[in-house]
Coordinates of all heavy atoms in Angstrom, one line a residue:
H772 N 0.8 -1.2 0.0 CA 0.0 0.0 0.0 C 0.9 1.3 0.0 O 0.3 2.4 0.0 CB -0.9 0.0 1.2 CG -2.1 -1.0 1.1 ND1 -2.0 -2.2 1.6 CD2 -3.2 -0.9 0.4 CE1 -3.1 -2.9 1.3 NE2 -3.9 -2.1 0.6
T773 N 2.2 1.1 -0.1 CA 3.1 2.2 -0.1 C 3.1 2.9 -1.4 O 3.2 2.2 -2.5 CB 4.5 1.8 0.3 OG1 4.5 1.1 1.5 CG2 5.5 2.9 0.3
A774 N 2.9 4.2 -1.5 CA 2.8 5.0 -2.7 C 4.2 5.0 -3.4 O 5.2 5.3 -2.7 CB 2.3 6.4 -2.4
P775 N 4.2 4.8 -4.7 CA 5.5 4.9 -5.4 C 5.8 6.4 -5.5 O 4.9 7.3 -5.6 CB 5.2 4.3 -6.7 CG 3.7 4.4 -6.9 CD 3.1 4.4 -5.6
F776 N 7.1 6.8 -5.5 CA 7.4 8.2 -5.8 C 8.8 8.2 -6.5 O 9.6 7.3 -6.3 CB 7.5 8.9 -4.4 CG 8.6 8.4 -3.5 CD1 9.8 9.0 -3.5 CD2 8.3 7.4 -2.6 CE1 10.8 8.6 -2.6 CE2 9.3 6.9 -1.8 CZ 10.5 7.5 -1.7
A777 N 8.9 9.3 -7.3 CA 10.2 9.5 -8.0 C 11.2 10.1 -7.1 O 11.0 11.2 -6.5 CB 9.9 10.3 -9.2
K778 N 12.3 9.4 -6.9 CA 13.4 10.0 -6.0 C 14.1 11.1 -6.8 O 14.0 11.2 -8.0 CB 14.4 8.8 -5.7 CG 13.8 7.7 -4.9 CD 14.9 6.7 -4.6 CE 14.3 5.5 -3.9 NZ 15.3 4.4 -3.7
S779 N 14.9 11.8 -6.0 CA 15.8 12.8 -6.6 C 17.2 12.2 -6.7 O 18.0 12.3 -5.7 CB 15.8 14.1 -5.8 OG 14.5 14.7 -5.8
P780 N 17.5 11.4 -7.8 CA 18.8 10.7 -7.8 C 19.9 11.7 -7.9 O 19.8 12.7 -8.5 CB 18.6 9.8 -9.0 CG 17.7 10.5 -9.9 CD 16.7 11.3 -9.0
T781 N 21.1 11.2 -7.4 CA 22.3 12.0 -7.6 C 23.1 11.2 -8.6 O 22.9 10.0 -8.9 CB 23.1 12.1 -6.2 OG1 23.3 10.8 -5.7 CG2 22.2 12.9 -5.2
D782 N 24.2 11.8 -9.1 CA 25.0 11.1 -10.1 C 25.7 9.9 -9.6 O 25.9 9.0 -10.4 CB 26.1 12.1 -10.6 CG 25.6 13.2 -11.4 OD1 24.4 13.1 -11.9 OD2 26.3 14.3 -11.5
D783 N 25.9 9.8 -8.3 CA 26.6 8.6 -7.8 C 25.7 7.5 -7.3 O 26.1 6.4 -6.9 CB 27.5 9.0 -6.6 CG 26.8 9.6 -5.4 OD1 25.7 10.1 -5.6 OD2 27.3 9.6 -4.3
M784 N 24.3 7.7 -7.5 CA 23.4 6.6 -7.1 C 23.3 5.6 -8.3 O 23.2 5.9 -9.4 CB 22.0 7.2 -6.9 CG 21.9 8.0 -5.6 SD 20.3 8.8 -5.4 CE 19.2 7.4 -5.4
A785 N 23.3 4.3 -7.9 CA 23.2 3.2 -8.8 C 21.8 3.0 -9.3 O 21.6 2.4 -10.3 CB 23.8 1.9 -8.2
S786 N 20.8 3.4 -8.5 CA 19.4 3.2 -8.9 C 18.6 4.5 -8.5 O 19.2 5.5 -8.0 CB 18.8 2.0 -8.2 OG 18.9 2.2 -6.8
G787 N 17.3 4.4 -8.7 CA 16.5 5.6 -8.3 C 16.0 6.4 -9.4 O 15.3 7.4 -9.2
R788 N 16.2 6.0 -10.6 CA 15.8 6.8 -11.8 C 14.6 6.2 -12.5 O 14.2 6.8 -13.5 CB 17.0 6.9 -12.8 CG 18.1 7.7 -12.2 CD 19.4 7.7 -13.1 NE 20.5 8.4 -12.6 CZ 21.3 8.0 -11.6 NH1 21.1 6.9 -11.0 NH2 22.2 8.8 -11.1
G789 N 14.1 5.0 -12.1 CA 13.1 4.3 -12.8 C 11.8 5.1 -13.1 O 11.4 5.1 -14.2
L790 N 11.3 5.7 -12.1 CA 10.0 6.5 -12.3 C 10.2 7.8 -13.0 O 9.3 8.2 -13.7 CB 9.3 6.7 -10.9 CG 8.7 5.5 -10.3 CD1 8.1 5.7 -8.9 CD2 7.7 4.8 -11.2
H791 N 11.5 8.3 -13.0 CA 11.8 9.4 -13.9 C 11.7 9.0 -15.3 O 11.2 9.7 -16.2 CB 13.1 10.0 -13.5 CG 13.2 10.8 -12.2 ND1 12.6 12.0 -12.1 CD2 13.7 10.4 -11.0 CE1 12.8 12.4 -10.8 NE2 13.4 11.4 -10.2
L792 N 12.3 7.8 -15.6 CA 12.2 7.3 -16.9 C 10.8 7.0 -17.4 O 10.4 7.3 -18.5 CB 13.1 6.0 -17.0 CG 13.1 5.3 -18.4 CD1 13.7 6.2 -19.4 CD2 13.9 4.0 -18.2
V793 N 10.0 6.4 -16.5 CA 8.6 6.1 -16.8 C 7.9 7.4 -17.1 O 7.1 7.5 -18.1 CB 7.9 5.4 -15.6 CG1 6.4 5.4 -15.8 CG2 8.4 4.0 -15.5
G794 N 8.1 8.5 -16.3 CA 7.5 9.8 -16.6 C 7.9 10.4 -17.9 O 7.1 11.0 -18.6
A795 N 9.2 10.2 -18.3 CA 9.7 10.7 -19.6 C 9.1 10.0 -20.8 O 8.9 10.6 -21.8 CB 11.2 10.7 -19.6
L796 N 8.8 8.7 -20.6 CA 8.4 7.9 -21.7 C 6.8 7.8 -21.9 O 6.3 7.4 -22.9 CB 8.9 6.4 -21.6 CG 10.4 6.3 -21.7 CD1 10.8 4.8 -21.4 CD2 10.9 6.7 -23.1
S797 N 6.1 8.3 -20.8 CA 4.7 8.2 -20.8 C 4.0 9.6 -20.8 O 4.7 10.6 -20.5 CB 4.2 7.4 -19.6 OG 4.5 8.1 -18.4
E798 N 2.7 9.6 -21.2 CA 2.0 10.8 -21.1 C 1.7 11.2 -19.6 O 1.7 12.3 -19.2 CB 0.6 10.7 -21.8 CG 0.6 10.7 -23.3 CD -0.7 10.8 -23.8 OE1 -1.7 10.2 -23.3 OE2 -0.9 11.5 -24.9
R799 N 1.5 10.1 -18.8 CA 1.3 10.3 -17.4 C 1.4 8.9 -16.7 O 1.3 7.9 -17.4 CB -0.1 10.9 -17.1 CG -1.3 10.0 -17.5 CD -2.6 10.8 -17.4 NE -3.7 10.0 -17.9 CZ -4.0 9.7 -19.1 NH1 -3.3 10.3 -20.1 NH2 -5.1 9.0 -19.5
W800 N 1.7 9.0 -15.5 CA 1.7 7.7 -14.7 C 1.2 8.0 -13.3 O 1.0 9.1 -12.9 CB 3.2 7.2 -14.6 CG 4.1 7.9 -13.7 CD1 4.9 9.0 -14.1 CD2 4.3 7.7 -12.3 NE1 5.6 9.5 -13.0 CE2 5.3 8.7 -11.9 CE3 3.9 6.8 -11.4 CZ2 5.7 8.7 -10.6 CZ3 4.3 6.9 -10.1 CH2 5.2 7.8 -9.7
G801 N 0.8 6.9 -12.6 CA 0.3 7.0 -11.3 C 0.0 5.7 -10.7 O 0.6 4.7 -11.1
Y802 N -0.8 5.7 -9.7 CA -1.1 4.4 -9.0 C -2.6 4.5 -8.5 O -3.1 5.5 -8.2 CB -0.1 4.1 -7.9 CG -0.2 5.0 -6.7 CD1 -0.9 4.6 -5.6 CD2 0.4 6.3 -6.8 CE1 -1.0 5.5 -4.5 CE2 0.3 7.1 -5.7 CZ -0.4 6.7 -4.6 OH -0.5 7.6 -3.5
E803 N -3.1 3.3 -8.3 CA -4.5 3.1 -7.7 C -4.3 2.2 -6.6 O -3.7 1.1 -6.7 CB -5.4 2.6 -8.7 CG -5.6 3.4 -9.9 CD -6.2 2.6 -11.1 OE1 -6.4 1.4 -11.0 OE2 -6.4 3.2 -12.2
T804 N -4.9 2.5 -5.4 CA -4.8 1.6 -4.3 C -6.1 0.8 -4.2 O -7.2 1.2 -4.7 CB -4.6 2.3 -2.9 OG1 -5.7 3.3 -2.8 CG2 -3.3 3.0 -2.9
N805 N -6.0 -0.4 -3.8 CA -7.1 -1.3 -3.6 C -7.0 -2.0 -2.2 O -6.0 -1.8 -1.5 CB -7.0 -2.5 -4.7 CG -7.1 -1.9 -6.1 OD1 -8.1 -1.5 -6.5 ND2 -6.0 -1.9 -6.8
R806 N -8.0 -2.7 -1.8 CA -8.0 -3.4 -0.6 C -6.7 -4.3 -0.4 O -6.1 -4.4 0.6 CB -9.2 -4.3 -0.5 CG -9.7 -4.7 0.8 CD -11.1 -5.4 0.8 NE -11.6 -5.9 -0.5 CZ -11.2 -7.1 -1.0 NH1 -10.5 -7.9 -0.3 NH2 -11.7 -7.5 -2.1
W807 N -6.3 -5.0 -1.5 CA -5.2 -5.9 -1.5 C -3.9 -5.4 -1.8 O -2.8 -6.0 -1.8 CB -5.5 -7.0 -2.6 CG -6.0 -6.5 -3.9 CD1 -7.3 -6.4 -4.3 CD2 -5.1 -6.0 -4.9 NE1 -7.3 -5.8 -5.6 CE2 -6.0 -5.6 -6.0 CE3 -3.8 -5.9 -5.1 CZ2 -5.5 -5.0 -7.2 CZ3 -3.3 -5.3 -6.3 CH2 -4.1 -4.9 -7.3
G808 N -3.8 -4.1 -2.3 CA -2.5 -3.5 -2.6 C -2.7 -2.4 -3.6 O -3.6 -1.5 -3.4
K809 N -1.9 -2.3 -4.6 CA -2.0 -1.2 -5.6 C -1.6 -1.7 -7.0 O -1.0 -2.7 -7.2 CB -1.1 -0.1 -5.2 CG 0.4 -0.3 -5.3 CD 1.2 0.9 -5.0 CE 2.7 0.7 -5.0 NZ 3.1 -0.3 -4.0
V810 N -2.0 -0.8 -8.0 CA -1.5 -1.0 -9.4 C -0.8 0.3 -9.7 O -1.4 1.4 -9.6 CB -2.7 -1.2 -10.3 CG1 -2.2 -1.3 -11.8 CG2 -3.5 -2.5 -10.0
T811 N 0.4 0.2 -10.1 CA 1.2 1.3 -10.6 C 1.1 1.2 -12.2 O 1.3 0.2 -12.7 CB 2.6 1.3 -10.2 OG1 2.6 1.2 -8.7 CG2 3.4 2.6 -10.6
W812 N 0.7 2.4 -12.8 CA 0.4 2.3 -14.2 C 1.1 3.5 -14.9 O 1.5 4.5 -14.3 CB -1.1 2.3 -14.5 CG -1.8 3.5 -13.7 CD1 -2.4 3.4 -12.5 CD2 -1.9 4.8 -14.2 NE1 -2.9 4.7 -12.2 CE2 -2.6 5.5 -13.2 CE3 -1.5 5.5 -15.3 CZ2 -2.9 6.9 -13.3 CZ3 -1.8 6.9 -15.4 CH2 -2.5 7.6 -14.4
A813 N 1.2 3.4 -16.3 CA 1.6 4.5 -17.1 C 0.8 4.4 -18.4 O 0.5 3.3 -18.9 CB 3.1 4.3 -17.4
V814 N 0.5 5.5 -19.0 CA -0.2 5.6 -20.2 C 0.7 6.2 -21.3 O 1.4 7.2 -21.0 CB -1.5 6.6 -20.1 CG1 -2.1 6.8 -21.4 CG2 -2.5 6.0 -19.1
I815 N 0.8 5.5 -22.4 CA 1.7 5.9 -23.5 C 0.8 6.3 -24.7 O -0.2 5.7 -24.9 CB 2.8 4.9 -23.9 CG1 2.2 3.6 -24.2 CG2 3.8 4.8 -22.8 CD1 3.2 2.5 -24.6
A816 N 1.2 7.4 -25.3 CA 0.5 7.8 -26.5 C 0.8 6.9 -27.7 O 1.9 6.4 -27.8 CB 0.9 9.2 -26.9
T817 N -0.2 6.7 -28.5 CA 0.0 5.8 -29.7 C -0.5 6.6 -30.9 O -1.4 7.4 -30.9 CB -0.8 4.5 -29.6 OG1 -2.2 4.8 -29.5 CG2 -0.3 3.7 -28.4
P818 N 0.1 6.3 -32.1 CA -0.3 7.0 -33.3 C -1.7 6.4 -33.7 O -2.0 5.3 -33.5 CB 0.7 6.6 -34.3 CG 1.4 5.4 -33.8 CD 1.3 5.4 -32.3
I819 N -2.6 7.3 -34.2 CA -3.9 6.9 -34.6 C -3.8 6.5 -36.1 O -3.2 7.3 -36.9 CB -4.9 8.1 -34.5 CG1 -5.0 8.4 -33.0 CG2 -6.2 7.7 -35.1 CD1 -5.9 9.6 -32.7

């Protein structure tokens, strides 16, 4: 049930950039909580 969040990575960090990448590649991203946990999602634009 812990909300995902984009960290502020520093140059010497080996990880912590994943949600920044998701944000850059998607129109938007977020999460929905449920009784059992959550779904973290991203929406990407597609050509019509």
Side-chain angles (χ1 to χ4, degrees):
H772 287 95
T773 303
F776 64 95
K778 296 178 184 177
S779 297
T781 60
D782 290 341
D783 60 339
M784 288 177 61
S786 64
R788 293 172 181 79
L790 290 177
H791 289 285
L792 180 60
V793 170
L796 294 172
S797 65
E798 285 189 325
R799 63 189 179 281
W800 73 271
Y802 68 98
E803 300 161 356
T804 57
N805 298 290
R806 203 173 17 84
W807 47 262
K809 71 176 174 299
V810 176
T811 307
W812 53 264
V814 174
I815 53 178
T817 61
I819 298 174

